[in-house]
Amino acid sequence: MSTRSGGPLPPHPTPTATATATTPTATPAPQAAGTTLCIRLSAAYLRDVERADGSARSQAELEGLVVFALVSTLWRPRPGTDVPGGLVSGVADYARLRAGLAPPHWTRSPSIPSPDDDDNDHDHDPWASGFSTVAFFLDWVDTHVCRDVVPALTAALVLASGSSQWSPALWEAITGVPLAAAWTAYQQDLLADVAAQRRALHMSPVGPDGLPVYEYSADMAAVDPAAAAHFRLAIPDPVAWLAEATAGALRALYAGREADAPRHIAGVRLVVRDFDGVAHTVDAAIPVHGAAGAAGNGTRPGKAIHVSVRYMASVFERVGQNVELLRREMDGVMLHEAVHVVQHNGFGSAPGWFVEGLADLVRLRGGLAPPHWTRQRGGRWTDGYSRTAYFLDWLEPAQTETGTWTGIGQRVQQLNATLAMQPWTRGLFEQQMQIPAGHTVASMWDRFQASLPAS
């Protein structure tokens, strides 16, 4: 994710520089025609930086914002050149980066399109995010593709002697590489770096089965003991319950491919609370207990599964106060959430329908489908949850033609493993799930629907 360092850029004249302090970040102020530029800076913002990170960081932030504002003004493309705004803000942050004034929260992160209802196959505009995202891209191009790319763009688009108009063809003429190809190569480099860092970040040890062994804990402090009565009745040992579900999710996704299991998380915490809903999984900080390789702030990355005692109480009544049936339902819920702890998601690009459908597939294949799940016609594969789970189950049956049990399926396992290394696309899904030639996900969904009984 890129972090914005400057605000909107209004029209302004050729500058020298003065400064006042009024706005949240550094922004060239509107000026009458002349030669003086007023850069507005927020004193309150800089004081907040100083309180949080010290006077040296505040001074560096001040200098970085001034550089951003000055370059935003000086790097003003000639009228009619149609230069994307994201390129302008990116050049300004590029100058800040090259001046050694990048703030510590800037990171070279893959720019992954947000998941939508279907896929992420649409083209991504390299300039869409602007600011530090583009700055890091320009820096990479300068290092790996074409030296002095920014001065060349300046000569073509900014200087009075230039005569060019912005276009991808201009980029290719300057760098020798099509813009889309350069952006793709840059993203692949970033993804490879992230994947390598995750592989190297071995927070958790490995057990005899080759799978990670996480630290487990349970927190019931936020729930009234009376409200937690049904939970304690069905789950007498919460930590063992959490560990068993997580181990089951690991086996389902990584049996036979243990090296793909995530070891960059240190532990999993169960949080039992009273809230609307069923359960959800979030990132969490796991406290350090003298572990090697711990982060400097006293925590390590992990996950937390929140479970609702309100939901458990409703299930308890629905099943006629049968503790065994309550436990079975909650075993299924916990297995679903444990999949979210250990599954890969293409750096956040996998669509929700697949993320939730995979979790319910593991629950289905684990024999923990609740009574209300049914294979019936209707909906779309993008509905997620059990509807998607049954579709995945049909695409790769639980047993081969010779009767061999496939677990959740080698194709699904491979797709999940691939999402540790690269972002989601519909083409990737179709390839990994071995959609037959001449078919698409949509046509296979139609065939699946035709195989089901009418509602």
Side-chain angles (χ1 to χ4, degrees):
M1 177 182 294
S2 63
T3 302
R4 181 180 178 134
S5 68
L9 305 177
H12 46 273
T14 304
T16 57
T18 61
T20 59
T22 52
T23 58
T25 54
T27 306
Q31 299 287 317
T35 60
T36 300
L37 169 70
C38 175
I39 300 175
R40 296 183 181 137
L41 296 171
S42 168
Y45 169 73
L46 293 171
R47 283 195 297 269
D48 287 343
V49 173
E50 183 173 5
R51 279 194 293 267
D53 301 314
S55 58
R57 173 84 281 280
S58 179
Q59 178 64 32
E61 183 69 7
L62 168 63
E63 294 173 6
L65 292 174
V66 169
V67 167
F68 175 88
L70 286 172
V71 176
S72 296
T73 302
L74 293 168
W75 209 86
R76 182 64 59 183
R78 297 185 314 278
T81 51
D82 295 331
V83 176
L87 177 56
V88 177
S89 64
V91 168
D93 268 355
Y94 168 85
R96 183 176 180 179
L97 176 67
R98 283 300 182 97
L101 295 171
H105 60 264
W106 283 13
T107 58
R108 298 178 187 265
S109 301
S111 181
I112 305 298
S114 299
D116 53 33
D117 289 338
D118 193 351
D119 62 78
N120 289 330
D121 281 342
H122 53 79
D123 292 332
H124 180 66
D125 177 6
W127 315 124
S129 299
F131 299 98
S132 61
T133 298
V134 171
F136 283 125
F137 174 52
L138 293 172
D139 183 62
W140 179 88
V141 170
D142 195 76
T143 303
H144 296 87
V145 179
C146 173
R147 297 292 299 176
D148 299 324
V149 62
V150 172
L153 289 169
T154 303
L157 300 169
V158 178
L159 298 183
S161 58
S163 59
S164 300
Q165 187 175 19
W166 165 258
S167 69
L170 173 65
W171 171 275
E172 185 171 356
I174 289 173
T175 66
V177 177
L179 176 59
W183 178 257
T184 299
Y186 170 60
Q187 293 299 307
Q188 289 174 343
D189 267 11
L190 293 180
L191 290 169
D193 287 345
V194 171
Q197 290 167 13
R198 286 187 175 182
R199 286 194 299 268
L201 189 61
H202 288 170
M203 288 289 184
S204 54
V206 172
D209 58 0
L211 293 169
V213 178
Y214 304 129
E215 295 179 13
Y216 298 102
S217 61
D219 179 4
M220 301 182 64
V223 64
D224 181 85
H230 300 109
F231 178 89
R232 294 185 181 280
L233 191 63
I235 317 293
D237 189 340
V239 174
W241 183 56
L242 174 64
E244 180 182 357
T246 307
L250 283 168
R251 287 192 300 271
L253 290 174
Y254 303 106
R257 50 185 328 119
E258 290 76 12
D260 295 322
R263 293 185 59 196
H264 61 278
I265 58 175
V268 188
R269 183 168 67 250
L270 171 65
V271 181
V272 182
R273 298 189 295 115
D274 185 4
F275 62 92
D276 288 333
V278 180
H280 58 267
T281 300
V282 297
D283 292 333
I286 304 300
V288 172
H289 300 293
N297 62 358
T299 62
R300 293 167 294 163
K303 299 286 184 178
I305 299 175
H306 292 244
V307 173
S308 169
V309 293
R310 192 178 309 176
Y311 174 73
M312 292 190 68
S314 69
V315 173
F316 189 61
E317 295 304 319
R318 189 171 72 233
V319 299
Q321 299 186 356
N322 185 309
V323 175
E324 183 178 345
L325 292 179
L326 173 61
R327 173 63 185 250
R328 176 182 171 80
E329 166 63 12
M330 296 313 299
D331 283 350
V333 168
M334 179 54 69
L335 181 58
H336 174 108
E337 295 303 323
V339 172
H340 292 329
V341 169
V342 301
Q343 71 186 142
H344 298 299
N345 61 11
F347 309 96
S349 67
W353 65 262
F354 177 75
V355 171
E356 298 297 345
L358 175 57
D360 268 359
L361 175 66
V362 173
R363 181 176 180 177
L364 175 66
R365 293 282 178 92
L368 292 171
H372 63 270
W373 284 14
T374 58
R375 296 178 188 263
Q376 62 183 25
R377 295 181 188 179
R380 300 183 74 234
W381 70 91
T382 55
D383 289 343
Y385 296 98
S386 61
R387 197 178 297 277
T388 300
Y390 282 124
F391 181 46
L392 295 173
D393 181 63
W394 178 81
L395 284 173
E396 187 176 14
Q399 288 185 321
T400 66
E401 293 180 357
T402 60
T404 302
W405 173 252
T406 65
I408 65 163
Q410 293 181 358
R411 300 175 199 172
V412 174
Q413 277 192 326
Q414 178 60 50
L415 175 56
N416 174 69
T418 303
L419 290 172
M421 306 289 292
Q422 64 188 76
W424 169 279
T425 66
R426 185 175 56 193
L428 176 66
F429 176 80
E430 293 180 346
Q431 176 194 43
Q432 298 289 328
M433 294 304 297
Q434 299 179 22
I435 301 300
H439 285 278
T440 63
V441 180
S443 66
M444 294 301 287
W445 173 259
D446 290 340
R447 291 179 61 183
F448 168 58
Q449 291 287 291
S451 73
L452 298 174
S455 301

